[in-house]
Amino acid sequence: MSASDPQSLTPRGIVAELDKYIVGQAKAKRAVAIAMRNRYRRERVAEEMRGEIVPKNILMIGPTGVGKTEIARRLATLAGAPFVKVEATKYTEVGYVGRDVESMVRDLVEAAIRMVSEERREEVRAAADLAAVERTIDLLFPETRAPQPASPSNPLAATLGSIFGNTFPPPQASPAPSAQHQPPPNAASIRETARNDVLRGFYDVRLVEIEVEETPNVPMGMMGGDPSMGGDMSEMLGSFLPKRKTRKRVTVADARRLFAAEEETKLIDMDAVKREALRRAGENGIVFIDEIDKVAGREGGRGPDVSREGVQRDILPIVEGSTVQTKHGAVKTDHVLFIAAGAFHVSKPSDLIPELQGRFPIRVELDSLTAADFATILTQPKNALVEQYRQLLAVENVTVRFTPDGIEQIATFAMRVNEQTENIGARRLHTVLERLLEDVSYAAPEEAGDVTVDGAFVRERLGGIVDDADLARYIL
C-alpha cells in the first residue's frame, strides 16, 4: 500500500497498516482512517461541492505514551502527505515572547517543499548521475573536453559584491575560437574508456581538486524585513549575485557525489516545486497539535490563564480556515487536517473555548496500556523493541534470545512502575529494557556469545529496583 495508489488506502487498509506499528487504539485508528479516506472522496465529488467539504478535525484524548503522535505520524507517511508536529505550549506567551501561531503553517509548507524536492530529485537522479560522470571525466582528462561557450558576465556582481562584502574575480576575456584548445582525434574513445572506469569505481580513491559553488550570503539585518518570513529580499539579492566558487581537494568518489547534487539542482524547476508544495500543503497537509490540554482553561482572569485563552483564539482562525502568507506564497488552511492531542489530566476538553471545541468534531479517547499490551508492543510490531535490541547486539556477535516468560516479566515490571510512579505508557519499556541490558551492552564488544533473557534474568536485574518504589522513581 502506498500514497501513489489511493484506491488501496481504504479505511480497513489504513488500519491494517497502522496495526503493524501501533498496538491497540482501534477507535483512534478508525477515526483517522475515515478522515484520510474522506480526502480521497472529496477529490472525486463535483467541483461546485468540493470546496464546501472541509475535513473533520480530530481531538485525541489519552495519557502520554499510548500512541497519539505515532498514529498521526504513521498516517502522514502512509498517505504521502506533508506533516508537521507542533507543541501548543510554544505559543503560550505569544504577544510577549514566543512564536506566532501562523508559524505552524509555514513549517508545514517547508515540509511540503522538502517532500516535493526529494521527489523531483528522485526523478532527475539518473540524468544528474550521467552528467556528474561527464564532469568527472572532464576533471580527469581535461584535454578531451569539448570547447565551452563563454559564460556571460553579471553586471551587478561588482556593485552588489562590494556592498555586501562578497568579492568575486573579474570576468576573464574569452579566447578567440581559433585559440581554444581542440580535443584530440581519439577523444571519444578515451572518454568511453574513462566512463567505464569511473562507473566501476576505478578512480574512486584518487584525490582531485574541484570548484564548489556557494551561494553568497546577504546579511539579513541590513535589509530589514520580518525574520519569520525567511527574508525574501535576501533570496532575491542572492539570485542576482554570482555563485562564489571555492576550491576543495576531495576524492573522485566525493567529487562525483558533489557534481551529482549540483546537477540535480540545475535540473529541478524550483518555481514548479514551490507551486506543487503550496498546493499539497493546502489540500493534503496534516498538522498535529500536541499538548493542547496545556493551553485549555477559560475565565482565569489573570496570569497564564489569560495567555492560554489568547493562544486558543490565535489558533482558532488557522483551524477555521484562513490564508497564511509564507515566503513561498499564500496558503489557505481550509482543507488542512488538524489533529489535536492531550492527556487532559488536569483540564478537560470542555475547558477549551467553545469556538475551538466546535472545530474538532471528532473526539477519540485512547485507552491506557495494560501489561498484555506491553508484551505485544515488545514482540509484535514491525519495529518491535525486542527485535531492535536483538539486531543492535548482533552487530557485536552477541545473540540475545527473549523467552516468553522473560517478555511477560518485563511487561509486568513496566506496568508496576507506571502504577507506582508516573504513567508514561509504552515509553517505560525503553527505560526498563535499557536498564535490563545495560551490563550486556557494556561488555558486548569483548564478550561475544549467547544471552537468554528469561523470567529469572529479568527478576535478578530489576526485581530489587521495582520492589523499592522510591528507588524505581529515580532509576526506572
Side-chain angles (χ1 to χ4, degrees), residues 291-302:
E291 308 291 356
I292 192 72
D293 57 315
K294 302 300 188 295
V295 297
R298 292 182 284 140
E299 302 174 0
R302 67 177 62 213

PDB file of all heavy atoms in Angstrom, residues 291-302:
ATOM      1  N   GLU A 291      -0.133  18.517  23.103  1.00  0.00           N
ATOM      2  CA  GLU A 291      -0.253  19.224  24.388  1.00  0.00           C
ATOM      3  C   GLU A 291      -1.309  20.329  24.331  1.00  0.00           C
ATOM      4  O   GLU A 291      -1.155  21.380  24.954  1.00  0.00           O
ATOM      5  CB  GLU A 291       1.109  19.826  24.806  1.00  0.00           C
ATOM      6  CG  GLU A 291       2.265  18.851  24.812  1.00  0.00           C
ATOM      7  CD  GLU A 291       2.149  17.810  25.931  1.00  0.00           C
ATOM      8  OE1 GLU A 291       1.210  17.904  26.736  1.00  0.00           O
ATOM      9  OE2 GLU A 291       3.017  16.917  26.001  1.00  0.00           O
ATOM     10  N   ILE A 292      -2.393  20.082  23.616  1.00  0.00           N
ATOM     11  CA  ILE A 292      -3.448  21.097  23.530  1.00  0.00           C
ATOM     12  C   ILE A 292      -4.092  21.321  24.890  1.00  0.00           C
ATOM     13  O   ILE A 292      -4.630  22.403  25.174  1.00  0.00           O
ATOM     14  CB  ILE A 292      -4.506  20.680  22.474  1.00  0.00           C
ATOM     15  CG1 ILE A 292      -5.453  21.837  22.133  1.00  0.00           C
ATOM     16  CG2 ILE A 292      -5.300  19.471  22.949  1.00  0.00           C
ATOM     17  CD1 ILE A 292      -4.831  22.918  21.327  1.00  0.00           C
ATOM     18  N   ASP A 293      -4.023  20.307  25.755  1.00  0.00           N
ATOM     19  CA  ASP A 293      -4.624  20.461  27.089  1.00  0.00           C
ATOM     20  C   ASP A 293      -3.885  21.484  27.936  1.00  0.00           C
ATOM     21  O   ASP A 293      -4.448  22.042  28.879  1.00  0.00           O
ATOM     22  CB  ASP A 293      -4.664  19.115  27.817  1.00  0.00           C
ATOM     23  CG  ASP A 293      -3.290  18.490  27.943  1.00  0.00           C
ATOM     24  OD1 ASP A 293      -2.549  18.492  26.938  1.00  0.00           O
ATOM     25  OD2 ASP A 293      -2.948  17.990  29.032  1.00  0.00           O
ATOM     26  N   LYS A 294      -2.611  21.759  27.603  1.00  0.00           N
ATOM     27  CA  LYS A 294      -1.826  22.708  28.408  1.00  0.00           C
ATOM     28  C   LYS A 294      -2.261  24.144  28.181  1.00  0.00           C
ATOM     29  O   LYS A 294      -1.918  25.021  28.975  1.00  0.00           O
ATOM     30  CB  LYS A 294      -0.334  22.570  28.075  1.00  0.00           C
ATOM     31  CG  LYS A 294       0.232  21.173  28.292  1.00  0.00           C
ATOM     32  CD  LYS A 294       0.096  20.703  29.728  1.00  0.00           C
ATOM     33  CE  LYS A 294       0.829  19.400  29.996  1.00  0.00           C
ATOM     34  NZ  LYS A 294       0.286  18.252  29.251  1.00  0.00           N
ATOM     35  N   VAL A 295      -2.986  24.401  27.097  1.00  0.00           N
ATOM     36  CA  VAL A 295      -3.491  25.763  26.876  1.00  0.00           C
ATOM     37  C   VAL A 295      -4.997  25.821  27.111  1.00  0.00           C
ATOM     38  O   VAL A 295      -5.633  26.833  26.825  1.00  0.00           O
ATOM     39  CB  VAL A 295      -3.155  26.265  25.455  1.00  0.00           C
ATOM     40  CG1 VAL A 295      -1.668  26.364  25.263  1.00  0.00           C
ATOM     41  CG2 VAL A 295      -3.786  25.396  24.388  1.00  0.00           C
ATOM     42  N   ALA A 296      -5.585  24.731  27.626  1.00  0.00           N
ATOM     43  CA  ALA A 296      -7.014  24.737  27.963  1.00  0.00           C
ATOM     44  C   ALA A 296      -7.201  25.503  29.261  1.00  0.00           C
ATOM     45  O   ALA A 296      -6.356  25.506  30.146  1.00  0.00           O
ATOM     46  CB  ALA A 296      -7.539  23.315  28.096  1.00  0.00           C
ATOM     47  N   GLY A 297      -8.327  26.122  29.396  1.00  0.00           N
ATOM     48  CA  GLY A 297      -8.602  26.904  30.606  1.00  0.00           C
ATOM     49  C   GLY A 297      -9.183  28.238  30.207  1.00  0.00           C
ATOM     50  O   GLY A 297      -8.603  28.962  29.396  1.00  0.00           O
ATOM     51  N   ARG A 298     -10.352  28.549  30.755  1.00  0.00           N
ATOM     52  CA  ARG A 298     -11.025  29.797  30.406  1.00  0.00           C
ATOM     53  C   ARG A 298     -11.373  30.560  31.666  1.00  0.00           C
ATOM     54  O   ARG A 298     -11.519  30.009  32.751  1.00  0.00           O
ATOM     55  CB  ARG A 298     -12.308  29.508  29.620  1.00  0.00           C
ATOM     56  CG  ARG A 298     -12.058  28.945  28.238  1.00  0.00           C
ATOM     57  CD  ARG A 298     -13.367  28.739  27.504  1.00  0.00           C
ATOM     58  NE  ARG A 298     -14.090  27.549  27.981  1.00  0.00           N
ATOM     59  CZ  ARG A 298     -15.392  27.501  28.158  1.00  0.00           C
ATOM     60  NH1 ARG A 298     -16.119  28.561  27.957  1.00  0.00           N
ATOM     61  NH2 ARG A 298     -15.975  26.393  28.564  1.00  0.00           N
ATOM     62  N   GLU A 299     -11.562  31.870  31.474  1.00  0.00           N
ATOM     63  CA  GLU A 299     -12.044  32.754  32.542  1.00  0.00           C
ATOM     64  C   GLU A 299     -11.161  32.663  33.760  1.00  0.00           C
ATOM     65  O   GLU A 299     -11.615  32.699  34.899  1.00  0.00           O
ATOM     66  CB  GLU A 299     -13.494  32.404  32.910  1.00  0.00           C
ATOM     67  CG  GLU A 299     -14.439  32.505  31.717  1.00  0.00           C
ATOM     68  CD  GLU A 299     -15.836  32.031  32.055  1.00  0.00           C
ATOM     69  OE1 GLU A 299     -16.062  31.635  33.212  1.00  0.00           O
ATOM     70  OE2 GLU A 299     -16.682  32.067  31.167  1.00  0.00           O
ATOM     71  N   GLY A 300      -9.856  32.523  33.546  1.00  0.00           N
ATOM     72  CA  GLY A 300      -8.937  32.510  34.684  1.00  0.00           C
ATOM     73  C   GLY A 300      -8.777  33.899  35.260  1.00  0.00           C
ATOM     74  O   GLY A 300      -8.605  34.066  36.458  1.00  0.00           O
ATOM     75  N   GLY A 301      -8.799  34.924  34.390  1.00  0.00           N
ATOM     76  CA  GLY A 301      -8.810  36.291  34.874  1.00  0.00           C
ATOM     77  C   GLY A 301      -7.448  36.922  34.989  1.00  0.00           C
ATOM     78  O   GLY A 301      -7.323  38.120  34.882  1.00  0.00           O
ATOM     79  N   ARG A 302      -6.415  36.149  35.258  1.00  0.00           N
ATOM     80  CA  ARG A 302      -5.098  36.746  35.423  1.00  0.00           C
ATOM     81  C   ARG A 302      -4.029  35.693  35.175  1.00  0.00           C
ATOM     82  O   ARG A 302      -4.326  34.504  35.092  1.00  0.00           O
ATOM     83  CB  ARG A 302      -4.939  37.340  36.830  1.00  0.00           C
ATOM     84  CG  ARG A 302      -4.936  36.295  37.939  1.00  0.00           C
ATOM     85  CD  ARG A 302      -4.703  36.941  39.291  1.00  0.00           C
ATOM     86  NE  ARG A 302      -5.755  37.886  39.625  1.00  0.00           N
ATOM     87  CZ  ARG A 302      -5.560  38.994  40.331  1.00  0.00           C
ATOM     88  NH1 ARG A 302      -4.345  39.292  40.746  1.00  0.00           N
ATOM     89  NH2 ARG A 302      -6.554  39.796  40.600  1.00  0.00           N
TER      90      ARG A 302
END
